[in-house]
Amino acid sequence: MLRLNLIFICIFFIQFSAAAKVSDQTSGPRLNNEKLYKYSYAAEVLLDRAKGTAEESTGYRISTSVNVNLVWRNPSNKDEQLIKILMSDVKIENVNKRDDKRNIFLGSSAKSILGKDNLAALEKPLILHLNFGKVKSLYSYQKEHAVITNIKRGLVSLFQLQLSSGRGEEEDVSGKCKVNYQSRQNQVTRIKELDSCKTADTGFTSHSKVLGVSSKSTSATVFTLEDGFIKSAHSEENHLLSLNVRQAIAAKIVSKQMLQLVKIEAGPKETAAKEVKSIIKTLDPKYVSIPLAAETVKSECKGCPTLWEHWQSVSKEFEPKSLSNSTAARKFLSLIRTMRKAQKEEILQVLRSASSSVLPPLVDAVTSTQTLASLEAILEFLDFSDEEGLVLQERFLYACGFASHPNEEMLKALMGIRNGKISSNDIKESVVIIMGALVRKLCQKGGCELPAVVETKKLILEGPDSTEVESEIKMYLLALKNALLPEAVPLLTKYSESGSGPISSISIAALQKYDVSLITEEVKKTLNRIYHQNHRVHEKTVRTAAADLIFSSNPTYMEVKNLMLSIGSLPHEMNKYMLSKVQDILHFEMPASKVVRQVMRDMIAYNYDRFSKVGSSSAFSGYITRDPDTTATYSLDILYSGSGILRRSNMDIMTFSKDTQLHASQVVIEAQGLESLIAATADEGEEDLESFSGMSAVLFDVQLRPVTFFKGYSDLMSKMFTATGEPINVVKGLILLVDHSQVIQLQSGLRASAEFQGGLAIDISGGMEFSLWYRESKTSVNNKGAMVVTGNVTVDMDFVRAGVEVSFETEAALDFITTVKFSQYPFLVCMQMEKAQFPFRQFLTKYESLASGKHYISRKGRREIVLGSEFPLHQENSNMCKKVFSEGSDW
């Protein structure tokens, strides 16, 4: 009896569970039998700048009549239905009223726009298999144009809904997306979380968020119901894309769908059958099940020039005399867009036919294209065993370093170059240094475990210990500075303390780029030993670099106090530098300012004797710009030797946006061992340094190979007597700064493509001049650049195309000049940081076109002149400049 009762209980729970599962399924809309539901349907898309109105937008509308009737209902489940949907009377027209001259649709019909076959395909019926309001299958015909099938899918998305509130995941033309239903009486609202949609289309974006593009997307559909089925459905989808660094460069997409019941008539009877497959076969054997997600549309550019034709039209802008203007940057972007569609042989044809004067910027463009065809072409074109091709080789390597979305193939290519024959040691160094930059970018994208990345990491991590040649050690350390591998911190810490002056400086500079969380107590102990010279004597440049890193790494009270207590016992100029650094931390409200103020309450650490030291060295930070989108700062650190000769000049420009930062620029000029020129005495620990001067640059987070002005006394004398006074170029070229490509699948079935690109024509140079006769020296860092950024959003259904382009362009120069008169002590030092007057131009272009060639274009622009200025430094510098220029300069 007990066993029988248990059996009954089990049967009860099984039946209860089954019933619960059925009740969990939310019912969907149900069609009535023998009824024909007649709807009007419209899908429209509007494109404009972010703040544009609907009336000003460009775009188009597709409208049609739609007949819907029930084909079959499952006798045992009323929510499982086969529905027939038929479109007719298709129209394609302007989304806004226009006069006849600007109306490209005037005199055109859907047949003339789409073509006879495509219109016939669009008007063929499709069968929708619904179960509890969700699309289970969709049946249409094979070999239809992808655009036509996608439009059908867009219409089907308005027949999929659940009648009760709740969250879930649905698949439709947009892909598999999370949705949230809110039900109230005869109205249901569906909110689609577009960021969650999973599609096959993947784009790319710039590695730095500062240079990237932000997007905000919303989608809502409101259904009204009558007699258990859809009376109306109104959907609106909004996408806003904006450039992070300048939010005014933004474009928006508004996609709308309107389905409205017109009337209900008598319709065909439902089919009596049990299996869906047999019904579909009965309706039309040619029906096939198609995926719900949109198909990729491969549109061909009709009438577009070939790469060769494009190059012929823009090559003049790549001549050296034209490279400093915005036209060159704009042509650079257009050439990249064309090259991304070109084959290897087409690119090689252009490279081999180009004159020597335009080859360097052309190499920039080919490398920045970042397709497999362009990489293969440039590798075949360049010969790294040829000593005469050094300029082109270095331009290729720098372009690899600045690559917006490098892949493993690019890193493999550099590995192959390194393992092959290279004629120049400078190129060998650049290859390894740039490999470090690619490792960092690939790791940022989650590619740290790629075979080529693993191999490169092993190479640069083991490199410093595998050689005793100082130049090679520095090469590997610079590569590690670019790679920013967490596992490299102990190695960099070791070389910070044990290496020579240049090696220690590079190691500390590399550690400065790491997140504060990776600067451990062990690292800070090493930095404190370096600064306080507990184990050995270090050069001033190394000690001050260690102090800078301590200050920027959440220093403790005792660390700051010990740094401040050292002031007064340091070499004269180092005393002044440390004082200036403390004052800069306070006035710029750096993170360490709170601890510094606590220490200053102690009169032993903070008193007049300690804070009245004289000298010319300085550290100062300020703002270049501060606005809601972007903040840019500059910092100038100058350290002199006790004899008045520049020891190190460091100019940094940082850009902050979207809670991230970008090291936009760093130019460091170093000099040593020059005291003998003026019969002066070298500072402690620097008595035996070889005469040397050079420059190192970081550009957009990429450390470049340092440039040497001279090395050794004989080299110095030779270059002093043959000097032309012209600055030495450090970086010159075209850089693809912003590179964002994205496909947006709209619920209507249309697809939008968004491309944001920014090109920079840049020229950074620097120089150092001496006059023994007038006992003066000058150092200069000159930054010139022309920048163009374009944001292009297009909805192209192959037959009709509409788009909007927002863009800006500018040309600017920023110069940093230091003049030193060392005929007296304390010597006179004047620093100047000047921004020249520059133009700023912003453009808005809207366009529409048909495959027949009819088109409409609207262009608007705004131009302004930004006045030049001299950036403020500390008051002491202003006073010094007055003295320098009041005495005059004789050379």
Side-chain angles (χ1 to χ4, degrees), residues 84-99:
K84 181 179 178 182
I85 300 175
L86 177 66
M87 286 189 272
S88 61
D89 192 23
V90 179
K91 295 178 182 177
I92 303 176
E93 54 196 350
N94 279 121
V95 75
N96 287 315
K97 289 184 178 180
R98 290 229 182 95
D99 56 60

Side-chain angles (χ1 to χ4, degrees), residues 31-32 34-41 64-70 83-89 155 159 226 229-233 258-268:
L31 275 78
N32 291 320
E34 299 184 25
K35 298 290 184 184
L36 181 64
Y37 296 76
K38 287 184 169 288
Y39 289 92
S40 63
Y41 171 69
T64 177
S65 298
V66 178
N67 291 346
V68 180
N69 67 275
L70 180 68
I83 298 172
K84 181 179 178 182
I85 300 175
L86 177 66
M87 286 189 272
S88 61
D89 192 23
L155 173 59
F159 288 93
E226 185 176 84
F229 199 63
I230 300 167
K231 181 181 180 182
S232 68
M258 292 78 71
L259 181 70
Q260 183 67 49
L261 181 65
V262 178
K263 61 181 177 178
I264 302 175
E265 295 179 352

Side-chain angles (χ1 to χ4, degrees), residues 21-38:
K21 285 183 180 179
V22 173
S23 64
D24 283 344
Q25 299 267 22
T26 58
S27 61
R30 298 175 184 173
L31 275 78
N32 291 320
N33 185 25
E34 299 184 25
K35 298 290 184 184
L36 181 64
Y37 296 76
K38 287 184 169 288

